[in-house]
Amino acid sequence: MSTKESGTDKSWEIINYSYLAIGSNIGKRKRNLNKSISYIKSKIGKIYKSSKIYESEPWGFKKQNYFLNQIILVETKLTPLELLNKCKEIEKKMGRKINIKWRERNIDIDILYYNSDIINEKLLKIPHPHIEKRKFVLIPLNELDEDYIHPKLMKSNSYLLETCEDKCIVKEYGKL
């Protein structure tokens, strides 16, 4: 965690950094990503960095549309559980329906990392338990910070990408 001086009253507040993965594979996918980013800015915090948008083959359940994916690094004052609740609130506001795991969705927001914290609760696992298995996460994550160390595996994002066995197609959106 880091601290940041706030306003003219010289009070201190905790600023947390979290990598979020956003994805969409139904409806107007790019518009869904942009709309979710707008909500994230207003409900969660300042977006510090964002990756390019990538198009990827579905992971887990193959018979569905390709996803658009993006990773963002956000500064937030929220606790991990508050962050999770805000992500779910945004998904709901955007019309996300509860569906079967790894199926199509208009928006999905996952917490990948939160500072360098390790959280293993029933409703919240940080780091996200599948980071090292998913190229559609690792490619844009490496674009933002290849040297970031996964706090549980103690391996860099670049190492996780180099050793990832995922064979799914992931390409920069709009490129041939």
Side-chain angles (χ1 to χ4, degrees):
M1 285 189 206
S2 70
T3 56
K4 184 176 180 180
E5 196 168 330
S6 168
T8 55
D9 66 358
K10 306 290 184 199
S11 64
W12 291 87
E13 55 191 27
I14 303 275
I15 300 295
N16 302 291
Y17 292 89
S18 181
Y19 286 92
L20 302 178
I22 54 177
S24 175
N25 79 331
I26 58 174
K28 296 183 178 184
R29 300 173 304 161
K30 188 166 190 264
R31 189 174 140 255
N32 291 341
L33 293 185
N34 291 336
K35 191 173 182 182
S36 72
I37 286 173
S38 180
Y39 283 132
I40 288 166
K41 286 177 184 176
S42 68
K43 304 282 184 196
I44 293 174
K46 176 185 172 193
I47 295 179
Y48 188 69
K49 289 188 204 178
S50 58
S51 74
K52 296 173 191 156
I53 296 173
Y54 292 85
E55 188 167 35
S56 64
E57 186 177 353
W59 190 90
F61 182 77
K62 298 291 186 183
K63 294 186 183 205
Q64 58 183 320
N65 296 329
Y66 274 44
F67 277 84
L68 289 188
N69 297 292
Q70 190 172 23
I71 305 294
I72 60 172
L73 175 58
V74 66
E75 292 181 350
T76 186
K77 296 175 191 171
L78 301 175
T79 66
L81 193 52
E82 290 170 335
L83 177 59
L84 175 65
N85 290 333
K86 288 293 181 187
C87 290
K88 297 301 172 200
E89 183 182 301
I90 292 167
E91 289 175 344
K92 186 176 181 180
K93 186 172 191 153
M94 289 186 61
R96 171 145 178 208
K97 306 280 188 264
I98 303 298
N99 56 5
I100 301 169
K101 195 173 195 170
W102 299 324
R103 292 293 182 102
E104 62 273 335
R105 55 207 58 189
N106 65 324
I107 197 66
D108 185 36
I109 306 170
D110 289 331
I111 303 169
L112 301 177
Y113 297 126
Y114 181 93
N115 299 321
S116 291
D117 296 2
I118 298 173
I119 299 169
N120 192 14
E121 296 178 11
K122 185 176 181 178
L123 295 176
L124 182 61
K125 305 218 182 305
I126 299 176
H128 190 285
H130 299 295
I131 292 172
E132 72 278 8
K133 298 174 186 169
R134 297 175 169 174
K135 276 188 357 186
F136 72 86
V137 168
L138 289 168
I139 290 171
L141 196 52
N142 270 271
E143 182 185 325
L144 297 183
D145 192 349
E146 63 186 13
D147 297 323
Y148 185 90
I149 302 296
H150 187 295
K152 197 170 183 180
L153 301 176
M154 300 308 295
K155 309 267 188 233
S156 69
N157 284 334
S158 61
Y159 179 83
L160 295 177
L161 179 57
E162 287 171 23
T163 58
C164 182
E165 296 180 10
D166 181 7
K167 302 296 181 211
C168 289
I169 298 166
V170 179
K171 62 180 181 171
E172 191 177 326
Y173 181 62
K175 301 269 181 160
L176 293 176

